[in-house]
Amino acid sequence: MRRLTGGRVWSSHSGRLRTGPRCERRAPSLSRSFICSRRPGRMAQKPLRLLACGDVEGKFDVLFNRIRAIQKKSGNFDLLLCVGDFFGSTPSTEWEEYRTGVKRGRKGVFTGASGLQIAYLSGTESLAEPAPPYSFTFKDVSSLKAALQATSQFKGVDVLLTSPWPKGVGNFGNASGDVDTKKKGSSLISHLAMDLKPRYHFAALEKTYYERLPYRNHTVLQETAQHVTRFIALANVGNPEKRKYLYAFSILPLNLMDMAELVKQPPDVTENPYRKSGKEALSDKQGLAPQEEPACQFFFDLSKKQGKKRQSTGGDSKGVSPKQPRKPPQPLGPCWFCLASPEVEKHLVVSIGTHCYLALAKGGLCDDHVLILPIGHYQSVVDLSREVVEEVEKYKCAVRQLFKSKGKRCVLFERNYRSHHLQLQVVPVPLSCCTTDDIKEAFIIQAQEQQMELLEIPEHSDIQQIAQPGAPYFYVELDTGEKLFHRIKKSFPLHFGREVLAGEAILNIPNKSDWRQCPRSREEEEALARLFRKHFQPFDFALED
């Protein structure tokens, strides 16, 4: 692409392929996507070199001068893809027809001679019907999906161009800066991206650059591996903050790629941000949101010296309070771990949050072996609501920080088998004992010896995405973020996790593989709880400053 002038313009607003002397200023300030191509008839013998651009806003000279400089340094590109606000506030009578609705062109698919397939959706989301001509609706999204998914061979598209961000794109991913992806963006585009499985998805409008970690388009251990998606949001051209508005990449069309190469998973891949966990999907089917009991009545002073707990906000308040979430499932009988239950040995509790609490393990492998438990009655991590999951993660982070300060790494494991209340075991291992690889190898070898398949799942995987509610499983999480997962089909050794950690290769205390073999007096347990509470206090987010 020596010059963009004299090329072809694919306007996602008009829905037609236009040939003209140059990319002219032809539209009012509407959000749309454009593709400029110089050599449409050339068959791809090697990957295509593409440039993607954010909101141009009519700054064509700034854009093209920048592109000329890039090409002078890096060579020619095959396509320029523009998303977001292309024409800015530049007036034009020709595009008045699109503003008034005489002409429309919200969506479409461009397939090049090389086989490169680009899906586009113009404008911003509208909930009204009929929608303004510069917007898209549920019908537009459904129509675009139907056109592409009509064949059984559909695997996805190479590129998806939209103006707004997809809502929730930051879930499971890296930080998105000032953009709150849970509130900003379009839900319709989220659904579109999930169904079209683009290898690259470009968007704009938020005046910032964000390259999300790649996410997978399949469920680990349940579906055949598929290619990953890379979402990139681009800033506006010539922005004073010098945020990135051009993105260069090479791509071989999907239909020309070897399948094994196509589905390779990069090491930093995450779960799909738009796919709901089994728990959330089940709640949606039942017409209920994931819900959790506030549990404020469970707050009590564990020790007068440890600091104040946050005050209760429920129950007796006479003011107007926000709608309270419903209670979690109730146990069918006595539960040793529901904090409201009289069976709980509260002298072992060392920290209480809003939804979870931390307690020393009864008959622990070591003095600082602890459990992370939900306050309400939940059977496993898979069953937890989002609020509880978030607090579990906070406790995991806090405990890791504590053990790191003590020269230890921690191993977490959960056995969702013949248990009624989630117990996330956290066992510290001195750095001098062994390496993380030693721990990983010990779990894998012992599983093999017992004819069990312990599979490694990617670092950014979410257990809620892998295991279905009610399905028994065992999983281990190492200090590196690596996770090992076993789907229990028939039976499972109840003390497997403890047996591995107590083995000669790690802690070398084989006589402690069964918690019942590790009795302590009430006075000893109380002393250990006080000591742990003291050490944990600097890391305890549940305490007021």
Side-chain angles (χ1 to χ4, degrees), residues 345-348 362 520-527:
E345 297 192 47
K346 292 185 173 65
H347 66 284
L348 294 172
K362 186 79 171 177
R520 289 191 180 101
S521 68
R522 170 96 179 199
E523 290 74 19
E524 289 176 319
E525 291 175 339
E526 289 176 344

Side-chain angles (χ1 to χ4, degrees), residues 204-225:
L205 296 186
E206 298 296 340
K207 312 293 185 185
T208 192
Y209 170 74
Y210 172 52
E211 182 172 2
R212 190 200 183 282
L213 292 173
Y215 65 83
R216 63 177 63 87
N217 286 295
H218 65 279
T219 302
V220 177
L221 304 182
Q222 294 184 28
E223 299 174 330
T224 303

Side-chain angles (χ1 to χ4, degrees), residues 499-517:
E499 288 172 355
V500 175
L501 293 175
E504 183 178 351
I506 304 178
L507 293 174
N508 194 21
I509 44 175
N511 58 314
K512 291 189 175 183
S513 60
D514 187 335
W515 69 273
R516 291 168 296 188
Q517 298 172 348

Side-chain angles (χ1 to χ4, degrees), residues 35-56:
I35 305 170
C36 296
S37 169
R38 191 181 74 86
R39 292 171 289 186
R42 183 173 64 90
M43 289 297 293
Q45 302 298 322
K46 58 183 181 179
L48 297 169
R49 301 184 69 227
L50 276 62
L51 273 175
C53 178
D55 307 277
V56 179

Side-chain angles (χ1 to χ4, degrees), residues 396-465:
K396 286 163 63 173
C397 181
V399 173
R400 284 192 181 108
Q401 290 175 341
L402 166 65
F403 290 144
K404 184 177 181 180
S405 71
K406 301 294 184 181
K408 301 177 181 181
R409 57 171 55 89
C410 66
V411 180
L412 298 92
F413 66 89
E414 179 200 359
R415 169 178 54 82
N416 180 30
Y417 173 74
R418 293 182 62 180
S419 60
H420 302 289
H421 192 114
L422 166 63
Q423 305 159 54
L424 188 57
Q425 309 270 347
V426 186
V427 180
V429 177
L431 297 178
S432 58
C433 283
C434 58
T435 66
T436 301
D437 285 341
D438 292 333
I439 298 172
K440 179 179 175 181
E441 183 180 10
F443 271 100
I444 293 175
I445 290 176
Q446 192 141 336
Q448 290 174 344
E449 290 176 352
Q450 301 192 41
Q451 286 77 50
M452 296 189 302
E453 187 178 29
L454 197 57
L455 300 175
E456 183 174 356
I457 59 177
E459 178 182 350
H460 298 280
S461 295
D462 178 5
I463 296 298
Q464 290 182 307
Q465 298 280 346

Side-chain angles (χ1 to χ4, degrees), residues 162-332:
T162 64
S163 290
W165 292 26
K167 193 171 185 177
V169 69
N171 295 339
F172 312 119
N174 46 316
S176 54
D178 297 332
V179 180
D180 186 350
T181 60
K182 293 182 179 179
K183 298 178 180 178
K184 295 287 186 71
S186 164
S187 296
L188 290 179
I189 290 179
S190 302
H191 290 293
L192 181 67
M194 183 165 177
D195 289 339
L196 295 193
K197 303 179 179 65
R199 295 166 64 199
Y200 286 88
H201 179 181
F202 293 98
L205 296 186
E206 298 296 340
K207 312 293 185 185
T208 192
Y209 170 74
Y210 172 52
E211 182 172 2
R212 190 200 183 282
L213 292 173
Y215 65 83
R216 63 177 63 87
N217 286 295
H218 65 279
T219 302
V220 177
L221 304 182
Q222 294 184 28
E223 299 174 330
T224 303
Q226 299 182 44
H227 59 269
V228 302
T229 293
R230 290 174 168 83
F231 173 79
I232 298 102
L234 296 165
N236 48 314
V237 171
N239 65 86
E241 298 85 4
K242 300 195 180 299
R243 292 170 174 167
K244 188 171 181 177
Y245 63 84
L246 279 174
Y247 185 92
F249 66 107
S250 297
I251 185 171
L252 187 67
L254 184 149
N255 65 339
L256 299 179
M257 290 194 67
D258 175 73
M259 181 57 67
E261 187 68 25
L262 178 65
V263 302
K264 277 186 177 179
Q265 306 291 297
D268 58 348
V269 67
T270 77
E271 289 297 332
N272 191 306
Y274 319 121
R275 179 178 286 120
K276 295 182 179 179
S277 67
K279 173 70 175 177
E280 292 175 301
L282 184 61
S283 297
D284 283 352
K285 289 180 181 179
Q286 296 173 342
L288 299 173
Q291 295 163 345
E292 165 65 2
E293 184 178 14
C296 299
Q297 66 271 29
F298 299 138
F299 282 59
F300 57 91
D301 188 7
L302 295 174
S303 170
K304 293 181 180 179
K305 296 182 180 179
Q306 70 168 322
K308 266 188 175 178
K309 292 290 177 184
R310 294 193 298 268
Q311 294 181 349
S312 170
T313 57
D316 299 330
S317 175
K318 295 181 180 179
V320 178
S321 60
K323 184 178 179 181
Q324 293 292 332
R326 296 186 183 180
K327 295 181 180 181
Q330 297 302 303
L332 299 178

